[in-house]
Amino acid sequence: MIVFIGSILAGVITGMGMGGGILLVPLLVFFTDTSQLGAQGLCLAFSIPTSALAAWSLYRQKKLEIACAKKLVPWTLCGALPGALLASWLSSSVLQGLFGVFLVFLGGREVYSFWQKKGGKK
Amino acid sequence: MNRQAQSSQAGKRKNILIAGLPTGFINGLLGSGGGSYLVPQLTRRLKLEQQKAHATSLIIIMPTTLLSLAVYLFKQPLPWSMLLYTIAGGCIGGLAGAKLLTKVPGLWLGLVFGIILLISGCRMAWAGFFG
């Protein structure tokens, strides 16, 4: 049940383009017995249909830049291969630690940008 | 008007490389979060407006994710039953989120999201390196 509610929340954030899948991994690791790599894999599988739905909705609002995406995809694929190989090679705890550091960085960035925007309004 | 036309061809290629490669690497290594890197790159380097950058990042992430997932499956089978729950929840939330994206400024959501990330990030880093 906690997984289901968390998924709805993650979906909302994904749909808003903020990378909600990233919430799913700590949720799964802390509240279920999923391994780090399993949680990441699940998160990957999760993001395909949810992004597809969100993208379809945004496509109808004419927000997609297809030409730009076509140029970028070959490069993201070149990056994904070594990244995924490294992930399956690293030990679960090191991977979890790296993931945590990345989360702290992202969280810090969100909070920082909040301060900036808030300050700019005054 | 057209700021992209002003930058040189070589500069554009460099920008695409800097935006694309790390996005894929993060997506592959950590299973998520590629988009969190990609969106600001799209707005700053490739001069997309915010909402278009969000939308475009979603379709760039999809093929990238497929490749990462394929690599993962060699090592780790997926917890399929749990996946069904998360996808069901995610689809409901995803539709709502995409509709909200054009209406809500997202400032406060960003703060709450950021604090959740900070807390869970600290916990994970601690558990990973010292646990």
Side-chain angles (χ1 to χ4, degrees), chain B residues 13-106:
Chain B
R13 218 171 271 150
K14 195 185 113 203
N15 281 341
I16 285 173
L17 203 135
I18 294 176
L21 265 185
T23 299
F25 187 73
I26 294 169
N27 180 276
L29 179 63
L30 301 173
S32 58
S36 316
Y37 171 82
L38 181 59
V39 173
Q41 295 296 321
L42 286 178
T43 56
R44 277 179 223 152
R45 290 184 183 278
L46 302 174
K47 309 292 181 204
L48 292 190
E49 57 179 271
Q50 190 71 19
Q51 286 186 0
K52 283 191 172 172
H54 278 159
T56 306
S57 79
L58 288 172
I59 51 168
I60 295 172
I61 291 299
M62 270 190 280
T64 316
T65 298
L66 272 177
L67 179 65
S68 306
L69 185 62
V71 176
Y72 276 37
L73 283 177
F74 278 104
K75 171 112 185 256
Q76 171 90 38
L78 281 179
W80 291 107
S81 60
M82 201 179 281
L83 183 63
L84 285 180
Y85 278 110
T86 56
I87 287 180
C91 287
I92 297 167
L95 277 179
K99 291 231 161 67
L100 284 173
L101 172 62
T102 48
K103 285 164 194 150
V104 177

Side-chain angles (χ1 to χ4, degrees), chain A residues 7-8 11-12 16-18 28 36 40 42 44 46 50 61 63-65 72 76 79-80 83-84 87-88 93 99-100 104 107 109, chain B residues 16 24-25 28-31 36 51-52 54-56 64-65 72 75 82 86 89-90 93-94 97 102 109 113-114 121 124 128:
Chain A
S7 307
I8 294 181
V12 171
M16 297 184 81
M18 289 163 87
L28 290 170
Q36 178 70 23
Q40 291 186 191
L42 190 132
L44 284 171
F46 162 84
T50 46
Q61 297 170 36
K63 299 283 182 197
L64 292 188
E65 292 278 347
L72 274 158
T76 61
S88 42
S93 57
F99 196 93
V104 170
R109 198 184 67 180
Chain B
I16 285 173
F25 187 73
L29 179 63
L30 301 173
S36 316
Q51 286 186 0
K52 283 191 172 172
H54 278 159
T56 306
T64 316
T65 298
Y72 276 37
K75 171 112 185 256
M82 201 179 281
T86 56
T102 48
L109 186 71
F113 186 51
M124 286 196 91

Side-chain angles (χ1 to χ4, degrees), chain A residues 32-48:
Chain A
T32 70
D33 58 357
T34 318
S35 74
Q36 178 70 23
L37 193 67
Q40 291 186 191
L42 190 132
C43 184
L44 284 171
F46 162 84
S47 69
I48 294 170

Side-chain angles (χ1 to χ4, degrees), chain A residues 110-122, chain B residues 107-108 111:
Chain A
E110 288 288 344
V111 174
Y112 177 70
S113 89
F114 173 83
W115 279 122
Q116 267 191 331
K117 284 177 196 160
K118 205 69 187 149
K121 271 182 183 169
K122 274 175 192 166
Chain B
L107 188 62
W108 288 97
L111 180 70

